[in-house]
Amino acid sequence: MHFFAKRILSICLIGGVLLSSVSCGKKKNQKKEVVKEEDPYFTPEYVELMVDPNPTQKIQYSCLNTSKIIGNNVVVGYMVVYEYPQEAMDKYLDNYSDNKEEYIDFIEQFYKTGFLVFDQQGNIVTDIPLPYSNDPIGVAGGKDGEVNFLIEDFEEQECIGTYVIDTYSAEGIQTGSVKVPKEIEYYPEQFYVAKNGNYILVGTEMIYVVSPSGEFLGQVPIDPGVDIMEQNGDVYLMSYEVSEQGMVTGYMQEFDPEAVKFKNDKKKLEKIFSNMVSGGDGNFYNIDGSGITRVDPFTGAEEAFFDWSQTDVNYSTYNEESFHVFSEDKIAFTCTEWSVDQENGISRPCNYIVTLTRAEKNPHAGKAYIEMGTIGIPSYDLQNYIIRYNNEPDGKARIRVHDYFVEENTGSQDLDRKTDLSNRVYMDMINGKGPDILVDFAGYSQFNSEDVLVDLNKYVDGKNGLNREEYFDNVLTAFEDKDKLFQIPVCFDIRGLMANKEMIGERSGWTYNEFSQIVCDLPSDVKVFEDMEYKDLLYSLLTGAMRSFIDYTKKEVSFDGDEFKQLLQMVKTYGVEYVPKYDEYGNLFGTSECVPFPDEEQVNTDLMMNDKLALMVTYIYSLSQYSDLHHTLGEKEIFIGMPSPDGTGACASASLTLAISAFSQNKDESWDFIRRLFDEDSQYLYTSSLMSIPLSRKAFDRINQESIDERNRMLKENQAYAIKYGTLLHGDIKPITEQDVQDYRELVESVSTIESYDPAVLNIILEESAAYFADQKDVDDVCAIIQNRTQTIVNER
């Protein structure tokens, strides 16, 4: 599911509200809110859609090409690949030209594609298998519940696709078939049936119209990237214009399928909705991380309809095109959830239709609401954990997610959005209406104060706490701010520098002075950093050291001192003004032909191996990745921290963190929710899902052993493949050694600081430092401006 950003008030307005609300010096505690019987709740019902044409065979891969609810049926287009004997496949591939028909017959035993129509109980109404050369493209509803299927028949001889539309009644009986005329040039990615029965096929740059008898009626060009919306046979085109200031204006035009043209001039939309879909009931709806609203795209009107906290489903997995509203009390959609086969590590999908039906009374009445603040929807596994927690029979609380991302209304750049949103959350907390729990706010250092957050050390060391010996306590310590733990990491990556030890020596960290002394002695033909634009290098160096320049307790900043000036001078010396983007490499190398985009990491690694590069910014997130990097450079490799004022070592970059609001009336309940994320199984689950490093040592060892086992399996496959085919299936991989495991653990144990930033402050620094990098201002002037502007921001908090 894709959620697109909206924008909240401008930063200047937020700053004004912050100043007025904080300067009064009064903290407002939240009211303890309890679930009432009359609070809306929709009971979820999951029915599995068994997409398995040959249940006696083992599935290797499967997917849904499309899914839609039409009438009371669920229609899916599918592809399933079953496990096949490799030797037989090799035989046919080696002699493909002589055994083409036999090869296709062989493939069709193990490759199945087609359409399935289910009722809402998961029973198959119609099974429409397709031959090997066909692909299911789209599904569209027609009159009286009929279903229309768009199918591509790929003609290998001519290397082109032809298209067929098959029509079935609601009872699953085929009632017609139309071959689409060959005038269709662009692949039809979308497919609709108009009210008059004409077929509308939408390609990347063209809308085509075909009559019910298959006659080509015409085409209309469209710009790439526009959105097409359908509502009960009416089709609309949504287009957008972006101003130089980054403001987006939306337009809507209705398409006339009889005249094959747009009916009128495009209408300006009063509001841009982030994720508008057709509800199948004659209305448009907007779906985001908060829930579902009924909307009028022309007037901008928006009416609350449904909130995700009113049910218990993992909404990160729903299939957008299948969303269907039956009534105010019943919603349905399909979703796909994934499980991993422990034998071979292959992920397999499970497909469901989920029906949400309004309950007469809320079954969770009496529980306390705990509000969780996020910027973006929670991860798949965290949503599953919330659902389990909310449904525990003896549970005393219910988590209600507040996704601030959907409230954003200003700013065109990513950092602007982070600034706006973090300030919005901060303002809500100060005013006593903010969340009880904050998720993934560790990067926002302005929150790290007992005026805003709880010191979690008292919970970690309390009755229902954690045994620090079972965790990487150095990482917990790194997340502390003046001996207080405001945000606790569930899992993390390690960020720092991979370095050529022969050039920079044996070390874990370095100050700015030490860094300057060492790199000044490097040979003239050695690059210090890989090519990084000034803003990117500054971001990398500063986010691990931001806490050295801001003291929120004393409300002091020090961006006009010698150390920050040293940092800017380093960036100007070793950064570059511009790094070519992907599509510019052809011109860069003086050719009009397609030039492969270089593997940046491989290029830099080769330079480092050949003593032409000293340092490379690196993230470490797994034993196998660490081992591969370690074996690439061998004895030359060392991982160290970024240069910083205090010479700290490697930096932890949080993948999932949680914090408790100082204003919460549910602090103990919030800790109970957080505490359960730190048992071995939960740590293992989240680390595997987020491809990160767990805080738990037991989970760390368990995941490491899985990495070793997986690498050994791949090495055996490599060996067998090399004997048979003379090449390596998985490339030139190396075994993971005991020394790798030991060195990896020591790297984790060396973490001594965290990646952190204040978006509003960082935005000012990146903006003002550009003048210094462009030689428009000297470093003293730039630092004085940064000092004054950032001091104002910090004073307002």
Side-chain angles (χ1 to χ4, degrees):
M1 174 168 52
H2 303 287
F3 295 137
F4 299 99
K6 296 185 194 173
R7 300 181 174 106
I8 56 172
L9 298 171
S10 69
I11 185 62
C12 59
L13 289 177
I14 288 179
V17 176
L18 277 173
L19 181 59
S20 62
S21 63
V22 176
S23 60
C24 66
K26 296 180 181 180
K27 295 192 291 185
K28 301 177 183 179
N29 287 322
Q30 298 174 356
K31 293 181 180 179
K32 194 157 188 169
E33 193 176 353
V34 176
V35 182
K36 303 179 183 66
E37 282 191 348
E38 60 269 25
D39 287 351
Y41 183 79
F42 286 75
T43 304
E45 179 187 8
Y46 281 73
V47 175
E48 186 169 5
L49 305 175
M50 295 297 294
V51 181
D52 191 358
N54 289 348
T56 59
Q57 295 177 259
K58 191 170 183 179
I59 294 176
Q60 185 178 68
Y61 174 80
S62 70
C63 71
L64 297 187
N65 296 30
T66 184
S67 65
K68 197 164 188 178
I69 296 174
I70 298 177
N72 290 315
N73 291 331
V74 186
V75 187
V76 304
Y78 67 86
M79 181 187 74
V80 179
V81 179
Y82 293 96
E83 289 190 354
Y84 51 83
Q86 185 65 49
E87 290 185 4
M89 175 68 79
D90 295 338
K91 181 188 74 173
Y92 285 113
L93 287 175
D94 291 341
N95 302 283
Y96 177 72
S97 58
D98 298 330
N99 300 286
K100 183 177 176 182
E101 291 185 6
E102 288 184 32
Y103 169 73
I104 293 176
D105 290 341
F106 169 78
I107 284 293
E108 288 190 322
Q109 298 175 51
F110 304 99
Y111 174 90
K112 302 294 179 182
T113 187
F115 291 99
L116 282 166
V117 181
F118 299 89
D119 62 22
Q120 291 193 41
Q121 288 70 49
N123 302 308
I124 294 177
V125 176
T126 307
D127 181 2
I128 308 172
L130 298 175
Y132 169 70
S133 61
N134 286 190
D135 278 324
I137 298 178
V139 176
K143 59 183 180 180
D144 301 324
E146 70 180 12
V147 184
N148 299 273
F149 302 98
L150 178 61
I151 301 163
E152 180 187 31
D153 185 359
F154 187 77
E155 298 177 6
E156 187 178 354
Q157 296 274 348
E158 300 180 24
C159 198
I160 60 170
T162 57
Y163 305 100
V164 175
I165 299 172
D166 289 341
T167 303
Y168 284 73
S169 69
E171 295 72 32
I173 300 171
Q174 185 168 5
T175 58
S177 181
V178 171
K179 191 170 183 178
V180 176
K182 290 192 175 183
E183 284 89 345
I184 307 298
E185 180 182 359
Y186 293 96
Y187 180 85
E189 297 174 333
Q190 295 167 278
F191 169 53
Y192 308 104
V193 178
K195 285 181 177 179
N196 67 348
N198 286 346
Y199 300 118
I200 303 172
L201 291 76
V202 184
T204 53
E205 298 182 30
M206 198 73 67
I207 296 178
Y208 305 99
V209 180
V210 177
S211 75
S213 62
E215 178 187 358
F216 182 75
L217 299 179
Q219 62 188 36
V220 176
I222 56 175
D223 293 329
V226 299
D227 292 332
I228 302 293
M229 303 292 298
E230 183 265 350
Q231 190 67 270
N232 291 346
D234 293 328
V235 175
Y236 303 87
L237 181 142
M238 311 282 291
S239 58
Y240 306 93
E241 293 179 0
V242 183
S243 70
E244 292 183 359
Q245 293 74 34
M247 301 304 295
V248 181
T249 304
Y251 299 90
M252 197 169 188
Q253 266 182 301
E254 186 174 357
F255 183 72
D256 186 341
E258 292 189 37
V260 193
K261 65 179 183 180
F262 290 103
K263 286 188 174 180
N264 43 44
D265 293 336
K266 58 185 181 182
K267 296 181 180 179
K268 181 180 176 181
L269 301 180
E270 295 300 319
K271 185 175 182 179
I272 304 272
F273 294 105
S274 61
N275 196 47
M276 193 168 66
V277 300
S278 169
D281 63 344
N283 295 300
F284 287 112
Y285 294 84
N286 188 60
I287 306 177
D288 55 34
S290 289
I292 303 167
T293 54
R294 187 183 287 119
V295 301
D296 184 330
F298 294 106
T299 65
E302 190 169 13
E303 175 189 357
F305 181 72
F306 171 82
D307 194 291
W308 291 118
S309 65
Q310 296 170 356
T311 189
D312 290 294
V313 298
N314 193 326
Y315 50 90
S316 66
T317 66
Y318 97 105
N319 298 319
E320 180 180 291
E321 63 182 347
S322 69
F323 174 72
H324 193 87
V325 175
F326 288 96
S327 69
E328 298 282 334
D329 301 323
K330 184 178 176 181
I331 310 166
F333 48 80
T334 64
C335 71
T336 302
E337 298 187 353
W338 296 82
S339 60
V340 178
D341 189 320
Q342 295 302 319
E343 286 185 25
N344 53 27
I346 295 175
S347 295
R348 304 195 185 286
C350 295
N351 304 296
Y352 301 91
I353 176 173
V354 183
T355 305
L356 307 180
T357 307
R358 189 186 299 271
E360 291 185 9
K361 296 180 180 179
N362 194 312
H364 301 284
K367 292 183 178 181
Y369 277 121
I370 297 178
E371 185 158 298
M372 174 184 288
T374 68
I375 295 180
I377 64 173
S379 68
Y380 171 79
D381 285 316
L382 183 56
Q383 283 198 53
N384 279 343
Y385 172 59
I386 292 170
I387 292 168
R388 290 196 302 272
Y389 182 88
N390 283 345
N391 285 281
E392 289 179 352
D394 58 344
K396 297 180 181 179
R398 180 170 177 80
I399 300 294
R400 181 170 58 186
V401 176
H402 182 166
D403 181 4
Y404 280 83
F405 187 78
V406 304
E407 299 176 12
E408 186 217 5
N409 238 350
T410 64
S412 58
Q413 302 299 318
D414 183 57
L415 200 56
D416 291 332
R417 294 200 294 267
K418 290 179 179 178
T419 299
D420 292 344
L421 291 171
S422 60
N423 278 326
R424 172 65 182 267
V425 179
Y426 191 93
M427 180 176 66
D428 278 357
M429 293 176 71
I430 293 295
N431 286 323
K433 58 180 182 178
D436 299 282
I437 296 174
L438 294 181
V439 176
D440 288 336
F441 276 71
Y444 307 119
S445 49
Q446 70 267 35
F447 286 82
N448 293 338
S449 161
E450 284 190 283
D451 289 336
V452 184
L453 297 178
V454 170
D455 176 10
L456 295 177
N457 275 331
K458 70 178 183 179
Y459 283 108
V460 171
D461 297 322
K463 183 178 179 181
N464 187 32
L466 305 176
N467 180 353
R468 290 180 181 268
E469 293 181 357
E470 296 179 359
Y471 299 88
F472 290 108
D473 194 40
N474 63 297
V475 177
L476 282 177
T477 302
F479 273 85
E480 290 180 352
D481 192 326
K482 294 183 173 59
D483 299 324
K484 291 180 171 54
L485 181 66
F486 296 113
Q487 315 221 31
I488 188 167
V490 176
C491 47
F492 58 95
D493 300 336
I494 296 176
R495 188 172 71 87
L497 296 168
M498 185 168 72
N500 187 321
K501 184 165 54 176
E502 294 178 355
M503 294 183 178
I504 61 95
E506 191 83 47
R507 63 183 60 255
S508 60
W510 39 11
T511 63
Y512 294 147
N513 284 333
E514 290 170 336
F515 171 85
S516 297
Q517 291 171 3
I518 291 169
V519 299
C520 281
D521 293 333
L522 293 175
S524 59
D525 62 344
V526 173
K527 294 173 63 176
V528 175
F529 291 102
E530 71 265 37
D531 287 343
M532 295 181 70
E533 293 181 11
Y534 295 128
K535 59 182 174 55
D536 297 325
L537 182 56
L538 177 57
Y539 179 93
S540 293
L541 294 175
L542 181 58
T543 52
M546 183 72 87
R547 294 193 296 187
S548 298
F549 299 109
I550 307 177
D551 187 325
Y552 290 99
T553 303
K554 296 180 180 179
K555 292 189 178 296
E556 294 178 353
V557 300
S558 54
F559 292 109
D560 57 354
D562 291 340
E563 288 178 328
F564 187 70
K565 291 176 184 177
Q566 274 185 292
L567 173 59
L568 292 186
Q569 289 163 347
M570 286 164 45
V571 172
K572 186 171 183 177
T573 302
Y574 303 113
V576 298
E577 182 179 356
Y578 189 72
V579 176
K581 302 298 187 290
Y582 175 88
D583 58 353
E584 297 173 345
Y585 269 86
N587 293 331
L588 181 69
F589 289 99
T591 174
S592 60
E593 297 180 4
C594 178
V595 176
F597 186 67
D599 184 332
E600 185 178 353
E601 183 173 298
Q602 185 60 54
V603 169
N604 291 327
T605 303
D606 290 343
L607 288 172
M608 192 172 285
M609 288 177 64
N610 293 312
D611 297 331
K612 298 299 182 184
L613 178 66
L615 303 167
M616 186 164 67
V617 177
T618 306
Y619 279 83
I620 302 294
Y621 52 84
S622 72
L623 172 61
S624 56
Q625 180 229 8
Y626 172 86
S627 176
D628 290 341
L629 288 172
H630 181 72
H631 285 288
T632 299
L633 291 179
E635 295 302 318
K636 291 185 178 183
E637 164 267 312
I638 188 173
F639 291 95
I640 61 174
M642 297 284 188
S644 63
D646 50 7
T648 51
C651 174
S653 176
S655 300
L656 175 62
T657 62
L658 297 107
I660 299 176
S661 168
F663 309 105
S664 171
Q665 295 296 306
N666 301 294
K667 294 184 181 69
D668 291 344
E669 293 89 343
S670 296
W671 173 252
D672 178 64
F673 172 85
I674 292 171
R675 169 65 182 85
R676 303 179 196 207
L677 293 170
F678 290 90
D679 62 64
E680 180 186 340
D681 288 342
S682 294
Q683 286 275 290
Y684 166 80
L685 175 67
Y686 287 100
T687 300
S688 301
S689 172
L690 296 171
M691 294 183 64
S692 196
I693 304 169
L695 196 68
S696 162
R697 290 179 177 270
K698 290 181 179 178
F700 179 79
D701 291 339
R702 181 172 162 187
I703 290 168
N704 286 350
Q705 188 57 54
E706 281 196 357
S707 295
I708 293 169
D709 293 343
E710 172 67 9
R711 180 57 57 88
N712 289 339
R713 181 185 67 78
M714 294 170 68
L715 287 166
K716 287 181 180 178
E717 290 179 352
N718 258 1
Q719 186 179 26
Y721 206 81
I723 292 172
K724 191 170 184 179
Y725 301 104
T727 186
L728 298 174
L729 179 63
H730 301 294
D732 187 21
I733 56 174
K734 307 294 184 188
I736 296 175
T737 67
E738 285 298 323
Q739 188 64 46
D740 290 338
V741 177
Q742 180 179 330
D743 291 346
Y744 180 49
R745 182 180 287 105
E746 289 177 0
L747 176 62
V748 175
E749 290 173 340
S750 74
V751 167
S752 58
T753 188
I754 66 167
E755 185 178 41
S756 178
Y757 56 85
D758 181 326
V761 171
L762 185 58
N763 206 16
I764 290 170
I765 293 171
L766 294 178
E767 176 187 333
E768 296 295 347
S769 62
Y772 169 62
F773 300 140
D775 292 323
Q776 296 170 352
K777 294 180 181 178
D778 65 31
V779 69
D780 291 329
D781 290 341
V782 165
C783 287
I785 296 171
I786 292 174
Q787 175 72 13
N788 290 334
R789 291 188 63 189
T790 56
Q791 185 66 66
T792 301
I793 291 290
V794 172
N795 285 341
E796 291 176 353
R797 297 201 170 109

